[in-house]
Amino acid sequence: MSISQPPEETVASVVIVDYGLGNLRSATRGLERAGADVTISDDPDDFADADGIVLPGVGAFSEGMENAGPFRDALREAAERGQPVFGICLGMQMLLTTSEEAEHAGEGEAEGLDFVPGENVRFAEGQKVPHMGWNELDVKRDHPLVEGVDGEYAYFVHSYYAVPDDEEAVVATTDYGVEFPAVVANEAGNVFGTQFHPEKSGETGLQILRNFVEFCAGED
């Protein structure tokens, strides 16, 4: 079956966290095409019954973490249960411990979720920001999320990038004057994120989303 064709039946149930900063409509469409039964929810009580959780995100790190505050405990409990938790763009950055973005904006320190220990840093002086456009994915190690996408192109829009404390957290990289993580994952492998937007990345993004949905289905 071509990856451009939707599956004949729902593969897994997925909750998209509605904390006020996510691109919910396009993420929902992409996940549904990938075979997910999608629920958009601002109720942390909905997380436990889902096969997987998506934390989307556009905007500033400090605002994202402030808005996501009511979900912090439920997301941590989900991660500890072994549920797949998928952060997209800002959502991926929120999986890390801290970000330079808050300090750069004069907002002090903002504490991330710390599922993938590390920091988000701003592109160096002289780099055009935001980084916006299509970049090639270089898969560094096996993970179900990146099956079949090595060497493919994905769509990025961001001014900061992740620097995990542990190099093993880096699943795939791309290059924009500096090589940086395009996909990261925690040690257990059930919490992961993409710096790019899979829902805006054509066939490559759909493959990523299908990989995610299939991974969720395998967690039953």
Side-chain angles (χ1 to χ4, degrees):
M1 182 175 65
S2 168
I3 64 171
S4 62
Q5 295 175 330
E8 294 180 359
E9 60 183 26
T10 299
V11 177
S13 64
V14 172
V15 168
I16 297 180
V17 184
D18 181 5
Y19 65 104
L21 289 179
N23 190 359
L24 306 182
R25 183 175 299 178
S26 59
T28 298
R29 284 200 303 265
L31 285 161
E32 287 176 343
R33 277 187 81 196
D37 178 14
V38 179
T39 300
I40 299 172
S41 178
D42 59 4
D43 183 354
D45 291 339
D46 289 338
F47 295 179
D49 293 331
D51 294 320
I53 300 166
V54 173
L55 183 66
V58 291
F61 185 87
S62 56
E63 185 180 6
M65 288 314 309
E66 181 179 353
N67 287 19
F71 304 97
R72 185 186 289 268
D73 289 344
L75 288 168
R76 185 185 68 251
E77 291 163 6
E80 291 173 350
R81 281 193 299 267
Q83 280 178 280
V85 178
F86 182 8
I88 295 175
C89 197
L90 174 63
M92 187 202 89
Q93 295 183 4
M94 289 163 61
L95 300 179
L96 275 75
T97 312
T98 61
S99 177
E100 288 182 351
E101 184 172 10
E103 184 177 350
H104 182 81
E107 297 166 346
E109 292 188 8
E111 182 181 352
L113 295 168
D114 197 32
F115 295 157
V116 179
E119 182 182 21
N120 298 287
V121 302
R122 187 173 172 85
F123 283 111
E125 292 284 335
Q127 290 290 103
K128 183 179 178 181
V129 293
H131 166 221
M132 183 181 301
W134 295 81
N135 282 73
E136 185 176 2
L137 302 178
D138 181 6
V139 173
K140 298 297 186 182
R141 65 175 180 85
D142 290 339
H143 188 282
L145 193 69
V146 294
E147 186 75 27
V149 300
D150 189 29
E152 301 296 335
Y153 283 74
Y155 186 74
F156 292 78
V157 183
H158 61 116
S159 300
Y160 294 77
Y161 62 91
V163 182
D165 291 346
D166 185 352
E167 287 186 9
E168 282 298 305
V170 179
V171 175
T173 64
T174 194
D175 190 277
Y176 182 63
V178 61
E179 186 180 45
F180 67 88
V183 182
V184 300
N186 69 343
E187 186 175 358
N190 68 302
V191 178
F192 39 82
T194 60
Q195 181 60 74
F196 56 89
H197 286 275
E199 75 281 7
K200 298 179 180 179
S201 297
E203 295 293 326
T204 301
L206 184 56
Q207 181 68 59
I208 291 272
L209 294 176
R210 289 199 64 190
N211 290 345
F212 168 64
V213 172
E214 290 168 7
F215 183 67
C216 292
E219 295 296 314
D220 290 341

